[in-house]
Amino acid sequence: MKTKPPPSHPGQRLAGFVLLCFFLSGLTGLVYQIIWMRLLSRVIGGAPFAVSAILTVFMGGLGLGSYIASRQVDRFQGLQLVRVYGLLELTIGLYALFVPLLLMLSKGLYGLLYNNLYEYTLLYNLFLFVGAALVLGLPTVCMGATLPILCKFYVGSLSHLGAHAGRLYGLNTLGAALGALLCGFWMIHVFGVWGTMLTAVVLNCAIGVACLALAPDAVAGGRARPPATAQPQRQTATDMPTAAGGARSSVAVAGALLIFMISGFCAMAYEVLWTKLLGLIVGPTTYSFTVVLVTFIVGLALGNMVFGRWADRSRDAMTLLVGSQIVAALCALGISQLFGDSQLFFAKLIYAFSDQFGLLSLTKGLVLFGFMVLPTFFLGATFPLVAKIYTRSLDQVGRSIGVAYTINTIGCVLGSFSAGFLLIPLVGKENGLRLVVALQLLTSLAVGAVVFYRHRTSMIRWAGLAAALVAGVGLCIAYPDWNRHVLSTGKYHRFDETAGGAEILQNTGWLRALFSGAQILSATERGELVYYGDGIGGFTTVLKYPGPFGEAEFSMANSGKMDASSRGDMKTQTLLAHFPMLFARSPEKVMVLGLASGVTGGEVLHYPVAQLDVIDINDRVFEASRFFEPWNNNVLDDARTRAIVQDAMAHLALTRTRYDVIISEPSNPWMAGMAALFTRDFFQVAKNRLTDQGIYVQWFHCYQMDWPTFALIGRTFAEVFPNSLLVSCEPGGLSRDFLFVGFKAEAGLNWAQAKENIDYAHRSRHIDLAYPELLTRLIVSEDLGRLFEPGPVNTEDQPVLEYAAPKLMHHGEETQQTLLRQLADRAWVSDATRSEVQR
């Protein structure tokens, strides 16, 4: 009998080396996914279908690569497997260098498709998918091929298959979690997009070179020997415990693979649904989404590693698989209900750590991990258990795991797509979660019943299945059940500044806030929820309030943050349209980025324009804006209006249309994805789409903002539009809202043109402007270079704003007043402009 090799055994050292490489491979894989998503979004946009196409290509490539490897892996043995793995990693790293070039070359083709096929949504999105597949197909297939190859190499015996496969895949998953964490909090912020990608390239190439350079004597006996393993090389399924206590049957194997596919479907669906839900609870920022993703992945990794060891010790892996997925479904249902009612709890947490961003992020991560660890832990059980059940002999390890992983990936692709494009828009998050939980529960119960029946299992198992069925169906009918009114306004957003908010946070205990928070908050809600739109592009609600004189007032919220209203925001919404339109020379085509209430677009229509393009990535906003028709001049029903559901960057980069005026009023830049609309790259693309005398207007705010960040945007804007000015939206002085106004031509404000256009402004019920020269009182500065001074700018490669803005979300009035004092001290208006009001 052979003894356990000592720690210095070269096989053991190589096993450790392979585990380290696969851990780093997981890290780089997630980094590539994030970076390639950003790069592709610059070309095809960040609209939901485009994002889904990229994710589908990425996951589909992993599944295809795994399947191809499963067909070829048995041709290789020992060190050959490590070298093939190294070649794949080297290919991934080198190919990644060419992805930006391929995207640049494809931009012209995408522009042609966009301008000719955009109205044919299905066909256009099919081309988006094909294009993404052509660009990302090779590296993702290579990534997917690595798992079955390394499993073939690393698994030394069937008796330890679960532990070794679970450890290998679990460490790879932990690497992915670390990659997401580093990207979301540090790498892109410090190194930029290009620097982060090059770092991943260097890691991949280093892994590949190291694996290819291994000497033949690095492997003892042609195969690495993981710790505590010394088994004969060829083993068959008779060496392992059989499923359900009897001979392994094709029914048990088929049932295990079905559960594996459904588990992948449900895991991705839970991730999509929980991420969108938690955006309303902890804030839809880049940091929050990173925390949610990392905690989800870590739970899966732990499940892989722990259940891998349990799979080897259990004499009934099938029962363990069925039971783990029943528990996962029930835990997912319970956590979903808890999440939906946890607004007060997380508002209290945010309030407690609002001045310590790092500690707040860490605390949120730990709390979310505590919530999600049970369902994700049991979801992570499937890989090692299915590997144990499905693998019939040691020589078929790579093939079996490759096929199983392919089936799981198919489920993942379908789950991600279904959650975002079918469940949320058709039935909403609550019913979507009910259906996903029911699918996972009923699939596990059905497979368990069939397998147990064929093997005449004990009555205890039948009683367990019956109890799970009754409990699961009853709970799915009752839960999740959330208070939609409470969810409609995000309490993560300055809740302590609302009337009575600080008192509620201070006087409510943590456990009471967690389990009774929805009831406490519902007692404080004002108004009536008249619209609740849960769509693929976002979550939009409209609240109706009684006005001071009995009239109805409406407010619109996106992701829980108020973005428009029929009263409080009217000055900004109106001025956004009239300031550029008054000075525009014979404007024919106008673009408004961000529909919101539609007031800005409606005010544009008072002028003799031929075409108004309204761009919004959230399809539900177009429905919600109908409640504002008494104020928005029926903008969507006007024949001149084109409502376009699309990412603004993609539209401006791909369209042939040239605009006389572009008005940009997106939501706050701390919301994930919004900071990209304040980059030098975006401003430059917009400038390129202006006519020679075109005017660009960018809304920005000073609340939840400090002077360095405000100056960052002003400096970025001025670099693209040297001839520009800063305008306040408050006639009485500096306000909370400002407009950056940029002129493509050297000439700036044309007062003679404004006097010609003033009659169009008089058609509006929302502005009373006797003569245009009164607008001089709103101008803060005509020299943005002097106002903001030299310094860093915000770019797509160095997205400073994306990482700075969320840290300022909870800064109070003092920070805002400091910013306003800086503006007041640095303000400058020319004598020529001042003299206009005296003429």
Side-chain angles (χ1 to χ4, degrees):
M1 178 178 176
K2 296 182 180 179
T3 59
K4 177 181 174 180
S8 60
H9 192 281
Q12 267 196 327
R13 291 200 305 269
L14 184 57
F17 170 77
V18 167
L19 289 175
L20 175 62
C21 287
F22 208 39
F23 172 81
L24 295 175
S25 177
L27 186 154
T28 59
L30 210 291
V31 169
Y32 285 135
Q33 181 179 338
I34 293 172
I35 296 301
W36 289 342
M37 183 78 72
R38 284 174 173 266
L39 295 177
L40 267 168
S41 295
R42 296 178 187 179
V43 179
I44 66 176
F49 277 108
V51 172
S52 179
I54 299 170
L55 287 175
T56 300
V57 167
F58 201 94
M59 290 188 291
L62 296 179
L64 180 60
S66 181
Y67 179 76
I68 293 174
S70 72
R71 308 287 294 182
Q72 303 296 326
V73 69
D74 291 334
R75 297 167 50 192
F76 306 99
Q77 294 292 332
L79 187 60
Q80 289 179 317
L81 293 164
V82 181
R83 287 179 170 169
V84 171
Y85 165 71
L87 184 61
L88 291 172
E89 292 289 338
L90 191 60
T91 302
I92 295 166
L94 293 176
Y95 185 91
L97 291 173
F98 292 94
V99 169
L101 176 62
L102 292 173
L103 292 176
M104 183 180 68
L105 294 175
S106 66
K107 193 170 184 178
L109 177 59
Y110 277 119
L112 182 66
L113 294 171
Y114 183 79
N115 287 282
N116 290 280
L117 296 177
Y118 180 70
E119 293 181 358
Y120 305 95
T121 304
L122 183 61
L123 185 60
Y124 175 68
N125 284 295
L126 176 62
F127 278 111
L128 288 185
F129 175 80
V130 172
L134 290 175
V135 174
L136 299 183
L138 177 61
T140 54
V141 166
C142 290
M143 290 178 187
T146 59
L147 178 63
I149 287 173
L150 288 189
C151 282
K152 171 79 172 178
F153 172 80
Y154 185 70
V155 175
S157 70
L158 287 180
S159 61
H160 290 81
L161 186 151
H164 294 162
R167 183 184 305 149
L168 189 69
Y169 190 50
L171 283 174
N172 182 259
T173 307
L174 283 178
L178 181 59
L181 185 66
L182 291 176
C183 260
F185 278 85
W186 183 65
M187 289 181 73
I188 295 177
H189 183 43
V190 175
F191 299 139
V193 172
W194 285 94
T196 301
M197 188 186 73
L198 290 175
T199 301
V201 167
V202 170
L203 271 177
N204 269 125
C205 291
I207 293 170
V209 171
C211 290
L212 290 172
L214 287 172
D217 60 359
V219 182
R223 180 184 297 276
R225 298 182 184 177
T229 319
Q231 303 291 335
Q233 282 217 1
R234 178 168 183 83
Q235 296 178 7
T236 64
T238 57
D239 297 318
M240 62 171 287
T242 53
R248 175 185 306 202
S249 67
S250 59
V251 172
V253 171
L257 292 176
L258 176 62
I259 288 178
F260 201 24
M261 184 177 72
I262 297 301
S263 174
F265 179 98
C266 295
M268 290 305 299
Y270 290 142
E271 183 182 341
V272 171
L273 291 162
W274 286 346
T275 298
K276 289 185 177 293
L277 172 62
L278 287 168
L280 306 176
I281 306 298
V282 299
T285 70
T286 297
Y287 294 111
S288 293
F289 289 148
T290 298
V291 167
V292 173
L293 177 62
V294 170
T295 53
F296 193 94
I297 294 176
V298 169
L300 293 176
L302 292 179
N304 269 283
M305 292 188 286
V306 173
F307 271 94
R309 297 181 66 85
W310 290 352
D312 291 333
R313 297 175 181 176
S314 173
R315 299 197 59 82
D316 194 348
M318 193 67 199
T319 299
L320 195 57
L321 176 64
V322 170
S324 68
Q325 297 315 289
I326 292 173
V327 174
L330 295 177
C331 287
L333 183 63
I335 292 304
S336 299
Q337 177 62 35
L338 194 63
F339 277 152
D341 287 341
S342 64
Q343 278 194 304
L344 182 55
F345 176 86
F346 280 101
K348 187 175 174 66
L349 188 149
I350 291 169
Y351 177 74
F353 298 101
S354 58
D355 295 331
Q356 301 167 289
F357 180 79
L359 187 57
L360 172 62
S361 298
L362 176 62
T363 306
K364 279 197 296 188
L366 292 175
V367 171
L368 288 173
F369 178 75
F371 285 156
M372 289 194 287
V373 65
L374 282 179
T376 54
F377 176 76
F378 286 103
L379 283 168
T382 52
F383 177 75
L385 289 172
V386 171
K388 189 77 172 179
I389 295 169
Y390 184 45
T391 305
R392 297 180 179 275
S393 71
L394 190 61
D395 288 342
Q396 294 182 355
V397 166
R399 180 181 179 87
S400 300
I401 288 178
V403 171
Y405 183 68
T406 301
I407 292 173
N408 177 257
T409 305
I410 292 172
C412 290
V413 172
L414 294 175
S416 177
F417 180 85
S418 298
F421 291 93
L422 298 177
L423 295 179
I424 291 178
L426 295 181
V427 300
K429 287 190 281 285
E430 297 110 310
N431 288 327
L433 282 164
R434 282 192 182 97
L435 292 174
V436 175
V437 169
L439 175 65
Q440 185 175 22
L441 186 66
L442 294 177
T443 300
S444 302
L445 289 170
V447 170
V450 171
V451 173
F452 294 163
Y453 174 77
R454 290 178 64 88
H455 295 286
R456 299 181 180 180
T457 189
S458 67
M459 291 301 297
I460 296 178
R461 289 196 178 98
W462 285 110
L465 291 181
L469 176 63
V470 172
V473 171
L475 290 172
C476 284
I477 293 173
Y479 301 104
D481 182 24
W482 307 324
N483 187 316
R484 290 189 167 190
H485 197 164
V486 171
L487 278 179
S488 66
T489 55
K491 308 307 177 188
Y492 63 85
H493 179 64
R494 301 189 296 175
F495 177 62
D496 57 303
E497 297 179 15
T498 61
E503 183 178 351
I504 292 174
L505 294 176
Q506 292 170 359
N507 296 337
T508 306
W510 289 98
L511 288 178
R512 188 162 177 257
L514 180 60
F515 294 105
S516 304
Q519 293 89 330
I520 295 171
L521 291 175
S522 63
T524 67
E525 290 299 314
R526 295 175 54 247
E528 175 188 357
L529 181 65
V530 295
Y531 179 79
Y532 184 94
D534 219 349
I536 58 176
F539 173 69
T540 301
T541 55
V542 177
L543 288 167
K544 178 181 177 181
Y545 301 93
F549 302 105
E551 75 282 9
E553 296 181 3
F554 292 84
S555 293
M556 176 190 291
N558 285 302
S559 295
K561 188 265 171 185
M562 290 297 175
D563 272 341
S565 68
S566 61
R567 185 177 178 87
D569 297 304
M570 193 58 70
K571 286 181 293 188
T572 300
Q573 296 170 140
T574 302
L575 191 62
L576 267 163
H578 288 288
F579 197 97
M581 295 303 295
L582 279 169
F583 294 100
R585 181 180 300 175
S586 303
E588 293 185 358
K589 296 182 179 180
V590 178
M591 170 183 153
V592 174
L593 191 170
L595 174 64
S597 64
V599 169
T600 300
E603 294 298 288
V604 168
L605 293 176
H606 289 305
Y607 295 78
V609 299
Q611 178 179 318
L612 170 65
D613 287 353
V614 181
I615 316 294
D616 205 299
I617 201 170
N618 183 357
D619 59 324
R620 291 300 188 258
V621 171
F622 291 92
E623 296 178 2
S625 67
R626 294 291 183 181
F627 289 91
F628 296 86
E629 287 181 345
W631 299 273
N632 68 21
N633 198 19
N634 293 307
V635 59
L636 295 181
D637 294 327
D638 196 291
R640 295 169 291 174
T641 301
R642 293 199 311 169
I644 301 174
V645 182
Q646 179 58 280
D647 175 76
M649 182 67 169
H651 176 76
L652 287 171
L654 300 176
T655 185
R656 296 195 194 102
T657 306
R658 288 168 62 85
Y659 297 102
D660 299 291
V661 174
I662 297 177
I663 301 167
S664 178
E665 49 176 337
S667 193
N668 299 58
W670 46 260
M671 300 184 76
M674 292 299 165
L677 302 177
F678 298 90
T679 62
R680 179 180 62 192
D681 311 74
F682 179 79
F683 293 150
Q684 187 61 58
V685 169
K687 184 178 181 180
N688 294 341
R689 294 268 64 83
L690 287 173
T691 57
D692 292 340
Q693 301 296 320
I695 301 174
Y696 181 86
V697 178
Q698 176 68 61
W699 166 86
F700 204 60
H701 60 92
C702 72
Y703 56 91
Q704 299 175 304
M705 189 61 52
D706 62 2
W707 171 250
T709 309
F710 191 92
L712 169 76
I713 301 307
R715 193 181 303 117
T716 303
F717 188 86
E719 184 170 307
V720 177
F721 292 98
N723 187 15
S724 54
L725 48 90
L726 179 67
V727 175
S728 171
C729 294
E730 180 59 56
L734 298 178
S735 68
R736 291 158 49 91
D737 295 308
F738 292 88
L739 309 181
F740 290 105
V741 183
F743 303 92
K744 189 171 183 179
E746 292 185 5
L749 297 173
N750 188 332
W751 294 102
Q753 187 67 55
K755 291 174 183 178
E756 290 183 18
N757 292 340
I758 192 64
D759 288 340
Y760 302 120
H762 290 162
R763 299 177 181 179
S764 171
R765 296 182 293 110
H766 304 314
I767 188 171
D768 186 10
L769 189 64
Y771 47 92
E773 291 82 0
L774 290 174
L775 294 176
T776 58
R777 299 176 181 178
L778 303 180
I779 299 175
V780 178
S781 177
E782 292 182 279
D783 188 347
L784 298 191
R786 180 163 67 177
L787 178 63
F788 298 117
E789 299 180 339
V793 296
N794 188 45
T795 67
E796 287 183 347
D797 182 52
Q798 296 285 342
V800 182
L801 181 65
E802 181 179 342
Y803 293 91
K807 297 177 182 179
L808 301 169
M809 270 183 65
H810 307 290
H811 282 220
E813 187 71 20
E814 183 178 346
T815 304
Q816 177 181 328
Q817 291 303 317
T818 301
L819 190 162
L820 293 177
R821 284 194 294 271
Q822 288 279 0
L823 288 176
D825 293 341
R826 298 164 179 259
W828 180 81
V829 179
S830 68
D831 293 336
T833 299
R834 293 181 187 277
S835 66
E836 287 293 335
V837 76
Q838 300 172 0
R839 294 182 181 179

